[in-house]
Amino acid sequence: MKTDLVRILDGNIFVLSDGSGDIVAKPGVPAGYFSFDTRFLSLWRLTINGERVSTLAMDDPSYFEVRFFLVPGAPTHYVDAKVSVIRERTVAGSFEERLTVLNHSEEWAEFTVRVDADADFSSLHMVEREHPPCGRLYQRVENGRLHLGYEREKYHRETQISTTEPAQVDEQGLTYHIRIEPHGQWITTLHVRGLVLRPDGQDIRERLSPRCRQRDTAGLQDDLRQWLDRAPQLSCDWKPLERTYRRALVDLAALRFSPLTLPTEPLPAAGLPWDATLTGRDPILTSLQVLPFTPDLAVNTLRMLGLDQGSVLDDFRDEEPGKILREFRYGEMVAFEERPQGPYFGAADSTPLFVILLDEYERWTGDAAVVREFEDEARAALHWIDEYGDIMGDGYVWYQRRNERTGLENQCWKETTNSISFRDGRLPGLPRATCELQGYAYDAKVRGARLAREFWHDPAYADRLEREAAELKERFNRDFWISDGEYYALALDGDGRQVDALSSNIGHLLWSGIVEESRAPKIAEHLLGPRLFSGWGVRTLAQAEGRYNPLGYHVGTVWPFDNSFIAWGLRRYGFHQEAGRIAEGIIDASRYFQGRLPEAFGGYDRELTRHPVQYPAANSPQALATGASLLLVRTLLGLEPYGDDLVVAPALPERFGRIELLDIPGRWGRVDAIGSVRSPEANAVGS
């Protein structure tokens, strides 16, 4: 994917264009106006008197709006330009563009303004894999509007384009013949709606969640202001942390959306552009990251995923009773079951993570009602771990897809086919039991036991879960430990052999608590050693492993989200300095991405490249990367709920100086946390 595309978004509705604002779709490049997994514009091109426009400057004051300052023709025309154009674009439930043409001459001037428009209605799957549509495309002009449409049996999508100024509308776009007075201007506003049509011609979203209906920029601006006002206020001597914290809060606001099928409160879409949809793993982990800052996302995530929890055995969707979904999409390939994502359950980690989030949410908020509300869903998730997750009957969580044709082969967070490998690069057979899945299962059982004892009034069930967790921990530390390398195996293969590559997965074991105390120092040493730690962060796969590639998606890149959980786990086991090194590296890297941490970046040694190298196909913004800086703040300040109080135990690298986090919400009301390199003692003040 091109990394220089200009993007604006409102949840899973977004526009990606070139630097002039033009949209010209090309194979594999997600330029366009997208809404709910469908590209409603694949061409949107502006010309003045037949000339393409060039960019003088660009301004993006908010995540949902952007302004382009343009002139017709090539850069040589910039000297004493007689005409310029301001292109103001917003996305707020739909796509709106205001064009202002300015005449800079001392005489009346005539111009022909043309906007070419087209739509291919490709789903994101089709864009990514260059899959042609199978239905009928149409164009028609009706009542001064351009209608671009697509039909395939009962599947019907349509783009409607209207304008506030008179235009000659044809099936390929709109033409304006205008005359502007000396030093005058001409303005029109184009409105583009992407419709998901029922057989009766009505947009199905009209009867659904208010967030799916038409909104305006004033409402979005007010919503963003309230969102930022509710979040804790952060100040830090090292300004990059302040910048990435603010950027993270804004991007979290931008990614919020409500799925079509369930009118819940919004939760974060996974990332732009490829994963601008509902997923299971991503909103759960993001909600964990941001609990101290915006706890409402957690309960929204629990409610949405609980409502769509698996209930039957369905091989096509990899669905099993109690299982939490992997993703839910709306595009054409899903509608005709050419892809299983409507919903798809091919993730082995989302289900134990659901229980972990439920418990952590209560620890922070004291909201016992939510724990009781989701008792059945949590019990079903815990049952899934033993009944369906334990494919081999040995007490571990394994995965093997039921859907052999279009299901995911790897069903952990590292989903690419080459991500789970032996040290020499060989791929293991299936089923597979990756190490972090065992950590999540252990943590889910420990936390489930607390919920059962304190809220569900089922001490026998709590005792059973605690016993199973203890047995799992003992068994795991026996079977996954690689003695000659002194680290945990990446996975076990179907024959029970250790998949012995050294990877970042071992860091997730720390925050789950499954690591034996005596082995934690060696794990910390590996994580901060030269093979895994690049100087910016922990690589997904260690240097010298058979499949290591510093630009390999899951086999050598650095993922900010991955590092945030690793740092959190290091703090849990008392490795404050090591956690601080990771936090400092990731926040330092954010300076090279304008404060917006990408999904992943290159795993090159810092000394080699001197700055982090962009991963070309990374989602940005991505919910998990956005949450990374917030979890790192929690880690640096040592924020942990303890009963009805918030414990603050700061441990800051010298570079951060002093951090103040004010108005942290939780069961304690609102408290402030202050950490300083010069005065490392904890400071917490109620408010």
Side-chain angles (χ1 to χ4, degrees), residues 137-172:
L137 291 164
Y138 65 83
Q139 304 85 27
R140 74 172 187 271
V141 179
E142 185 177 291
N143 298 324
R145 294 184 177 187
L146 175 57
H147 296 251
L148 308 171
Y150 180 77
E151 290 181 300
R152 180 182 174 190
E153 299 177 19
K154 294 182 179 180
Y155 182 89
H156 191 185
R157 303 290 186 266
E158 186 171 283
T159 304
Q160 294 183 1
I161 304 170
S162 60
T163 175
T164 58
E165 290 296 309
Q168 293 179 357
V169 184
D170 58 59
E171 292 182 351
Q172 285 75 46

mmCIF file of all heavy atoms in Angstrom, residues 137-172:
data_model
loop_
_atom_site.group_PDB
_atom_site.id
_atom_site.type_symbol
_atom_site.label_atom_id
_atom_site.label_comp_id
_atom_site.label_asym_id
_atom_site.label_seq_id
_atom_site.Cartn_x
_atom_site.Cartn_y
_atom_site.Cartn_z
ATOM 1 N N LEU A 137 -22.692 -3.329 -13.132
ATOM 2 C CA LEU A 137 -22.489 -1.916 -12.818
ATOM 3 C C LEU A 137 -23.424 -1.076 -13.681
ATOM 4 O O LEU A 137 -23.700 -1.416 -14.831
ATOM 5 C CB LEU A 137 -21.046 -1.510 -13.100
ATOM 6 C CG LEU A 137 -19.964 -2.103 -12.184
ATOM 7 C CD1 LEU A 137 -18.589 -1.945 -12.815
ATOM 8 C CD2 LEU A 137 -20.002 -1.447 -10.815
ATOM 9 N N TYR A 138 -23.923 0.029 -13.112
ATOM 10 C CA TYR A 138 -24.758 0.927 -13.904
ATOM 11 C C TYR A 138 -24.473 2.375 -13.527
ATOM 12 O O TYR A 138 -23.945 2.674 -12.450
ATOM 13 C CB TYR A 138 -26.249 0.610 -13.725
ATOM 14 C CG TYR A 138 -26.804 0.830 -12.334
ATOM 15 C CD1 TYR A 138 -27.221 2.098 -11.910
ATOM 16 C CD2 TYR A 138 -26.925 -0.227 -11.431
ATOM 17 C CE1 TYR A 138 -27.741 2.304 -10.636
ATOM 18 C CE2 TYR A 138 -27.445 -0.035 -10.155
ATOM 19 C CZ TYR A 138 -27.854 1.230 -9.767
ATOM 20 O OH TYR A 138 -28.367 1.438 -8.506
ATOM 21 N N GLN A 139 -24.804 3.282 -14.460
ATOM 22 C CA GLN A 139 -24.710 4.724 -14.238
ATOM 23 C C GLN A 139 -25.978 5.346 -14.830
ATOM 24 O O GLN A 139 -26.418 4.954 -15.908
ATOM 25 C CB GLN A 139 -23.488 5.334 -14.946
ATOM 26 C CG GLN A 139 -22.153 4.709 -14.586
ATOM 27 C CD GLN A 139 -21.840 3.476 -15.417
ATOM 28 O OE1 GLN A 139 -22.305 3.330 -16.537
ATOM 29 N NE2 GLN A 139 -21.062 2.565 -14.846
ATOM 30 N N ARG A 140 -26.536 6.307 -14.115
ATOM 31 C CA ARG A 140 -27.683 7.023 -14.666
ATOM 32 C C ARG A 140 -27.754 8.412 -14.042
ATOM 33 O O ARG A 140 -27.256 8.638 -12.930
ATOM 34 C CB ARG A 140 -28.994 6.263 -14.438
ATOM 35 C CG ARG A 140 -29.529 6.297 -13.024
ATOM 36 C CD ARG A 140 -30.930 5.692 -12.935
ATOM 37 N NE ARG A 140 -31.499 5.876 -11.617
ATOM 38 C CZ ARG A 140 -31.346 5.028 -10.604
ATOM 39 N NH1 ARG A 140 -30.621 3.927 -10.777
ATOM 40 N NH2 ARG A 140 -31.886 5.269 -9.424
ATOM 41 N N VAL A 141 -28.359 9.328 -14.777
ATOM 42 C CA VAL A 141 -28.586 10.681 -14.292
ATOM 43 C C VAL A 141 -30.077 10.845 -14.033
ATOM 44 O O VAL A 141 -30.906 10.520 -14.893
ATOM 45 C CB VAL A 141 -28.106 11.718 -15.322
ATOM 46 C CG1 VAL A 141 -28.381 13.140 -14.813
ATOM 47 C CG2 VAL A 141 -26.617 11.526 -15.612
ATOM 48 N N GLU A 142 -30.408 11.339 -12.845
ATOM 49 C CA GLU A 142 -31.814 11.456 -12.460
ATOM 50 C C GLU A 142 -31.981 12.655 -11.535
ATOM 51 O O GLU A 142 -31.319 12.746 -10.502
ATOM 52 C CB GLU A 142 -32.259 10.166 -11.755
ATOM 53 C CG GLU A 142 -33.728 10.094 -11.406
ATOM 54 C CD GLU A 142 -34.072 8.753 -10.771
ATOM 55 O OE1 GLU A 142 -34.031 7.731 -11.490
ATOM 56 O OE2 GLU A 142 -34.345 8.727 -9.551
ATOM 57 N N ASN A 143 -32.871 13.589 -11.944
ATOM 58 C CA ASN A 143 -33.157 14.779 -11.139
ATOM 59 C C ASN A 143 -31.888 15.546 -10.768
ATOM 60 O O ASN A 143 -31.735 16.013 -9.636
ATOM 61 C CB ASN A 143 -33.931 14.401 -9.872
ATOM 62 C CG ASN A 143 -35.273 13.772 -10.179
ATOM 63 O OD1 ASN A 143 -35.942 14.163 -11.142
ATOM 64 N ND2 ASN A 143 -35.673 12.787 -9.372
ATOM 65 N N GLY A 144 -30.979 15.690 -11.734
ATOM 66 C CA GLY A 144 -29.762 16.455 -11.504
ATOM 67 C C GLY A 144 -28.724 15.751 -10.654
ATOM 68 O O GLY A 144 -27.726 16.368 -10.276
ATOM 69 N N ARG A 145 -28.918 14.470 -10.376
ATOM 70 C CA ARG A 145 -27.966 13.697 -9.576
ATOM 71 C C ARG A 145 -27.372 12.584 -10.415
ATOM 72 O O ARG A 145 -28.029 12.031 -11.300
ATOM 73 C CB ARG A 145 -28.642 13.085 -8.354
ATOM 74 C CG ARG A 145 -29.145 14.093 -7.334
ATOM 75 C CD ARG A 145 -29.701 13.373 -6.123
ATOM 76 N NE ARG A 145 -30.131 14.310 -5.092
ATOM 77 C CZ ARG A 145 -30.536 13.958 -3.881
ATOM 78 N NH1 ARG A 145 -30.561 12.679 -3.542
ATOM 79 N NH2 ARG A 145 -30.899 14.870 -3.013
ATOM 80 N N LEU A 146 -26.145 12.243 -10.111
ATOM 81 C CA LEU A 146 -25.496 11.108 -10.744
ATOM 82 C C LEU A 146 -25.629 9.897 -9.826
ATOM 83 O O LEU A 146 -25.253 9.957 -8.639
ATOM 84 C CB LEU A 146 -24.025 11.418 -11.008
ATOM 85 C CG LEU A 146 -23.169 10.275 -11.574
ATOM 86 C CD1 LEU A 146 -23.747 9.732 -12.877
ATOM 87 C CD2 LEU A 146 -21.724 10.730 -11.765
ATOM 88 N N HIS A 147 -26.156 8.820 -10.373
ATOM 89 C CA HIS A 147 -26.307 7.571 -9.631
ATOM 90 C C HIS A 147 -25.358 6.543 -10.222
ATOM 91 O O HIS A 147 -25.448 6.213 -11.417
ATOM 92 C CB HIS A 147 -27.743 7.047 -9.727
ATOM 93 C CG HIS A 147 -28.770 7.941 -9.107
ATOM 94 N ND1 HIS A 147 -29.435 7.624 -7.937
ATOM 95 C CD2 HIS A 147 -29.248 9.153 -9.490
ATOM 96 C CE1 HIS A 147 -30.280 8.597 -7.633
ATOM 97 N NE2 HIS A 147 -30.183 9.543 -8.568
ATOM 98 N N LEU A 148 -24.439 6.041 -9.416
ATOM 99 C CA LEU A 148 -23.543 4.955 -9.795
ATOM 100 C C LEU A 148 -23.940 3.744 -8.966
ATOM 101 O O LEU A 148 -24.025 3.839 -7.738
ATOM 102 C CB LEU A 148 -22.088 5.326 -9.523
ATOM 103 C CG LEU A 148 -21.600 6.656 -10.110
ATOM 104 C CD1 LEU A 148 -20.212 6.988 -9.574
ATOM 105 C CD2 LEU A 148 -21.586 6.595 -11.629
ATOM 106 N N GLY A 149 -24.194 2.610 -9.606
ATOM 107 C CA GLY A 149 -24.731 1.491 -8.852
ATOM 108 C C GLY A 149 -24.141 0.152 -9.214
ATOM 109 O O GLY A 149 -23.439 -0.006 -10.230
ATOM 110 N N TYR A 150 -24.449 -0.818 -8.375
ATOM 111 C CA TYR A 150 -23.969 -2.186 -8.555
ATOM 112 C C TYR A 150 -25.028 -3.138 -8.025
ATOM 113 O O TYR A 150 -25.533 -2.971 -6.903
ATOM 114 C CB TYR A 150 -22.652 -2.399 -7.805
ATOM 115 C CG TYR A 150 -22.088 -3.797 -7.931
ATOM 116 C CD1 TYR A 150 -21.444 -4.197 -9.102
ATOM 117 C CD2 TYR A 150 -22.208 -4.718 -6.909
ATOM 118 C CE1 TYR A 150 -20.928 -5.478 -9.235
ATOM 119 C CE2 TYR A 150 -21.690 -6.002 -7.021
ATOM 120 C CZ TYR A 150 -21.050 -6.381 -8.190
ATOM 121 O OH TYR A 150 -20.546 -7.641 -8.325
ATOM 122 N N GLU A 151 -25.381 -4.132 -8.824
ATOM 123 C CA GLU A 151 -26.375 -5.121 -8.433
ATOM 124 C C GLU A 151 -25.859 -6.526 -8.735
ATOM 125 O O GLU A 151 -25.274 -6.778 -9.797
ATOM 126 C CB GLU A 151 -27.689 -4.906 -9.197
ATOM 127 C CG GLU A 151 -28.457 -3.661 -8.791
ATOM 128 C CD GLU A 151 -29.754 -3.518 -9.551
ATOM 129 O OE1 GLU A 151 -29.672 -3.436 -10.805
ATOM 130 O OE2 GLU A 151 -30.820 -3.489 -8.918
ATOM 131 N N ARG A 152 -26.090 -7.394 -7.794
ATOM 132 C CA ARG A 152 -25.828 -8.816 -7.971
ATOM 133 C C ARG A 152 -26.884 -9.563 -7.154
ATOM 134 O O ARG A 152 -26.804 -9.584 -5.913
ATOM 135 C CB ARG A 152 -24.420 -9.178 -7.523
ATOM 136 C CG ARG A 152 -24.083 -10.656 -7.689
ATOM 137 C CD ARG A 152 -22.682 -10.948 -7.170
ATOM 138 N NE ARG A 152 -22.398 -12.373 -7.182
ATOM 139 C CZ ARG A 152 -21.329 -12.928 -6.601
ATOM 140 N NH1 ARG A 152 -20.434 -12.155 -5.998
ATOM 141 N NH2 ARG A 152 -21.153 -14.234 -6.642
ATOM 142 N N GLU A 153 -27.873 -10.095 -7.845
ATOM 143 C CA GLU A 153 -29.032 -10.692 -7.191
ATOM 144 C C GLU A 153 -29.637 -9.665 -6.231
ATOM 145 O O GLU A 153 -29.961 -8.555 -6.633
ATOM 146 C CB GLU A 153 -28.643 -12.006 -6.515
ATOM 147 C CG GLU A 153 -28.107 -13.051 -7.488
ATOM 148 C CD GLU A 153 -27.657 -14.323 -6.805
ATOM 149 O OE1 GLU A 153 -28.074 -14.573 -5.645
ATOM 150 O OE2 GLU A 153 -26.885 -15.082 -7.424
ATOM 151 N N LYS A 154 -29.768 -9.985 -4.943
ATOM 152 C CA LYS A 154 -30.366 -9.040 -3.992
ATOM 153 C C LYS A 154 -29.340 -8.078 -3.376
ATOM 154 O O LYS A 154 -29.717 -7.201 -2.592
ATOM 155 C CB LYS A 154 -31.084 -9.798 -2.873
ATOM 156 C CG LYS A 154 -32.307 -10.581 -3.353
ATOM 157 C CD LYS A 154 -32.997 -11.271 -2.188
ATOM 158 C CE LYS A 154 -34.224 -12.036 -2.665
ATOM 159 N NZ LYS A 154 -34.913 -12.715 -1.531
ATOM 160 N N TYR A 155 -28.096 -8.260 -3.730
ATOM 161 C CA TYR A 155 -27.033 -7.384 -3.221
ATOM 162 C C TYR A 155 -27.021 -6.114 -4.058
ATOM 163 O O TYR A 155 -26.836 -6.164 -5.283
ATOM 164 C CB TYR A 155 -25.690 -8.116 -3.308
ATOM 165 C CG TYR A 155 -24.504 -7.349 -2.778
ATOM 166 C CD1 TYR A 155 -24.145 -7.437 -1.435
ATOM 167 C CD2 TYR A 155 -23.718 -6.571 -3.625
ATOM 168 C CE1 TYR A 155 -23.036 -6.761 -0.950
ATOM 169 C CE2 TYR A 155 -22.616 -5.889 -3.148
ATOM 170 C CZ TYR A 155 -22.274 -5.990 -1.803
ATOM 171 O OH TYR A 155 -21.177 -5.317 -1.329
ATOM 172 N N HIS A 156 -27.218 -4.952 -3.405
ATOM 173 C CA HIS A 156 -27.396 -3.705 -4.150
ATOM 174 C C HIS A 156 -26.704 -2.567 -3.399
ATOM 175 O O HIS A 156 -27.011 -2.296 -2.234
ATOM 176 C CB HIS A 156 -28.899 -3.398 -4.296
ATOM 177 C CG HIS A 156 -29.202 -2.297 -5.269
ATOM 178 N ND1 HIS A 156 -30.477 -1.811 -5.466
ATOM 179 C CD2 HIS A 156 -28.397 -1.575 -6.104
ATOM 180 C CE1 HIS A 156 -30.450 -0.843 -6.372
ATOM 181 N NE2 HIS A 156 -29.196 -0.686 -6.770
ATOM 182 N N ARG A 157 -25.757 -1.916 -4.069
ATOM 183 C CA ARG A 157 -25.069 -0.760 -3.519
ATOM 184 C C ARG A 157 -25.165 0.383 -4.534
ATOM 185 O O ARG A 157 -25.136 0.158 -5.738
ATOM 186 C CB ARG A 157 -23.590 -1.070 -3.231
ATOM 187 C CG ARG A 157 -23.361 -2.244 -2.282
ATOM 188 C CD ARG A 157 -23.771 -1.916 -0.871
ATOM 189 N NE ARG A 157 -23.432 -2.966 0.069
ATOM 190 C CZ ARG A 157 -24.251 -3.944 0.445
ATOM 191 N NH1 ARG A 157 -25.471 -4.007 -0.085
ATOM 192 N NH2 ARG A 157 -23.871 -4.847 1.319
ATOM 193 N N GLU A 158 -25.276 1.620 -4.020
ATOM 194 C CA GLU A 158 -25.386 2.751 -4.934
ATOM 195 C C GLU A 158 -24.697 3.977 -4.349
ATOM 196 O O GLU A 158 -24.757 4.227 -3.138
ATOM 197 C CB GLU A 158 -26.851 3.075 -5.228
ATOM 198 C CG GLU A 158 -27.019 4.163 -6.289
ATOM 199 C CD GLU A 158 -28.448 4.346 -6.742
ATOM 200 O OE1 GLU A 158 -28.929 3.498 -7.531
ATOM 201 O OE2 GLU A 158 -29.088 5.326 -6.294
ATOM 202 N N THR A 159 -24.039 4.737 -5.235
ATOM 203 C CA THR A 159 -23.444 6.024 -4.899
ATOM 204 C C THR A 159 -24.297 7.116 -5.529
ATOM 205 O O THR A 159 -24.569 7.071 -6.728
ATOM 206 C CB THR A 159 -22.008 6.121 -5.447
ATOM 207 O OG1 THR A 159 -21.244 5.024 -4.945
ATOM 208 C CG2 THR A 159 -21.358 7.426 -5.033
ATOM 209 N N GLN A 160 -24.704 8.090 -4.719
ATOM 210 C CA GLN A 160 -25.481 9.219 -5.218
ATOM 211 C C GLN A 160 -24.656 10.492 -5.048
ATOM 212 O O GLN A 160 -24.168 10.775 -3.950
ATOM 213 C CB GLN A 160 -26.807 9.348 -4.479
ATOM 214 C CG GLN A 160 -27.767 8.197 -4.723
ATOM 215 C CD GLN A 160 -29.100 8.386 -4.021
ATOM 216 O OE1 GLN A 160 -29.326 9.399 -3.343
ATOM 217 N NE2 GLN A 160 -29.995 7.412 -4.170
ATOM 218 N N ILE A 161 -24.528 11.256 -6.145
ATOM 219 C CA ILE A 161 -23.714 12.469 -6.147
ATOM 220 C C ILE A 161 -24.602 13.648 -6.521
ATOM 221 O O ILE A 161 -25.247 13.640 -7.574
ATOM 222 C CB ILE A 161 -22.546 12.355 -7.148
ATOM 223 C CG1 ILE A 161 -21.698 11.115 -6.832
ATOM 224 C CG2 ILE A 161 -21.687 13.616 -7.112
ATOM 225 C CD1 ILE A 161 -20.667 10.793 -7.893
ATOM 226 N N SER A 162 -24.633 14.654 -5.656
ATOM 227 C CA SER A 162 -25.420 15.860 -5.918
ATOM 228 C C SER A 162 -24.539 17.087 -5.735
ATOM 229 O O SER A 162 -23.452 17.006 -5.158
ATOM 230 C CB SER A 162 -26.629 15.934 -4.987
ATOM 231 O OG SER A 162 -26.219 15.955 -3.627
ATOM 232 N N THR A 163 -25.013 18.231 -6.227
ATOM 233 C CA THR A 163 -24.234 19.468 -6.179
ATOM 234 C C THR A 163 -25.149 20.640 -5.858
ATOM 235 O O THR A 163 -26.330 20.641 -6.243
ATOM 236 C CB THR A 163 -23.502 19.706 -7.512
ATOM 237 O OG1 THR A 163 -22.852 20.973 -7.486
ATOM 238 C CG2 THR A 163 -24.469 19.668 -8.695
ATOM 239 N N THR A 164 -24.608 21.635 -5.161
ATOM 240 C CA THR A 164 -25.419 22.806 -4.792
ATOM 241 C C THR A 164 -25.490 23.840 -5.899
ATOM 242 O O THR A 164 -26.353 24.719 -5.870
ATOM 243 C CB THR A 164 -24.853 23.459 -3.521
ATOM 244 O OG1 THR A 164 -23.482 23.836 -3.753
ATOM 245 C CG2 THR A 164 -24.941 22.521 -2.335
ATOM 246 N N GLU A 165 -24.584 23.801 -6.880
ATOM 247 C CA GLU A 165 -24.592 24.732 -8.006
ATOM 248 C C GLU A 165 -24.962 23.985 -9.280
ATOM 249 O O GLU A 165 -24.651 22.797 -9.426
ATOM 250 C CB GLU A 165 -23.219 25.395 -8.164
ATOM 251 C CG GLU A 165 -22.878 26.384 -7.072
ATOM 252 C CD GLU A 165 -23.820 27.576 -7.051
ATOM 253 O OE1 GLU A 165 -24.028 28.204 -8.118
ATOM 254 O OE2 GLU A 165 -24.364 27.876 -5.969
ATOM 255 N N PRO A 166 -25.613 24.655 -10.231
ATOM 256 C CA PRO A 166 -26.004 23.988 -11.475
ATOM 257 C C PRO A 166 -24.808 23.377 -12.190
ATOM 258 O O PRO A 166 -23.732 23.973 -12.263
ATOM 259 C CB PRO A 166 -26.632 25.116 -12.300
ATOM 260 C CG PRO A 166 -27.042 26.138 -11.296
ATOM 261 C CD PRO A 166 -26.031 26.070 -10.195
ATOM 262 N N ALA A 167 -25.013 22.188 -12.717
ATOM 263 C CA ALA A 167 -23.948 21.478 -13.430
ATOM 264 C C ALA A 167 -24.554 20.678 -14.569
ATOM 265 O O ALA A 167 -25.735 20.316 -14.537
ATOM 266 C CB ALA A 167 -23.185 20.563 -12.485
ATOM 267 N N GLN A 168 -23.737 20.406 -15.568
ATOM 268 C CA GLN A 168 -24.099 19.446 -16.595
ATOM 269 C C GLN A 168 -23.659 18.074 -16.083
ATOM 270 O O GLN A 168 -22.465 17.788 -15.982
ATOM 271 C CB GLN A 168 -23.406 19.773 -17.919
ATOM 272 C CG GLN A 168 -23.865 21.061 -18.565
ATOM 273 C CD GLN A 168 -23.126 21.350 -19.861
ATOM 274 O OE1 GLN A 168 -22.232 20.608 -20.258
ATOM 275 N NE2 GLN A 168 -23.502 22.431 -20.526
ATOM 276 N N VAL A 169 -24.639 17.263 -15.758
ATOM 277 C CA VAL A 169 -24.347 15.955 -15.169
ATOM 278 C C VAL A 169 -24.481 14.892 -16.250
ATOM 279 O O VAL A 169 -25.518 14.798 -16.922
ATOM 280 C CB VAL A 169 -25.300 15.649 -13.998
ATOM 281 C CG1 VAL A 169 -24.918 14.322 -13.339
ATOM 282 C CG2 VAL A 169 -25.284 16.780 -12.967
ATOM 283 N N ASP A 170 -23.433 14.108 -16.437
ATOM 284 C CA ASP A 170 -23.496 12.968 -17.351
ATOM 285 C C ASP A 170 -23.097 11.715 -16.584
ATOM 286 O O ASP A 170 -22.820 11.766 -15.383
ATOM 287 C CB ASP A 170 -22.608 13.195 -18.578
ATOM 288 C CG ASP A 170 -21.148 13.445 -18.211
ATOM 289 O OD1 ASP A 170 -20.540 12.572 -17.570
ATOM 290 O OD2 ASP A 170 -20.621 14.530 -18.572
ATOM 291 N N GLU A 171 -23.054 10.589 -17.254
ATOM 292 C CA GLU A 171 -22.827 9.323 -16.561
ATOM 293 C C GLU A 171 -21.383 9.149 -16.105
ATOM 294 O O GLU A 171 -21.074 8.209 -15.373
ATOM 295 C CB GLU A 171 -23.238 8.162 -17.465
ATOM 296 C CG GLU A 171 -24.745 8.120 -17.708
ATOM 297 C CD GLU A 171 -25.166 6.941 -18.564
ATOM 298 O OE1 GLU A 171 -24.257 6.247 -19.106
ATOM 299 O OE2 GLU A 171 -26.372 6.700 -18.683
ATOM 300 N N GLN A 172 -20.499 10.056 -16.509
ATOM 301 C CA GLN A 172 -19.096 9.977 -16.093
ATOM 302 C C GLN A 172 -18.682 11.095 -15.140
ATOM 303 O O GLN A 172 -17.531 11.152 -14.723
ATOM 304 C CB GLN A 172 -18.175 10.018 -17.320
ATOM 305 C CG GLN A 172 -18.138 8.717 -18.117
ATOM 306 C CD GLN A 172 -19.391 8.511 -18.950
ATOM 307 O OE1 GLN A 172 -19.838 9.443 -19.631
ATOM 308 N NE2 GLN A 172 -19.966 7.317 -18.884
#
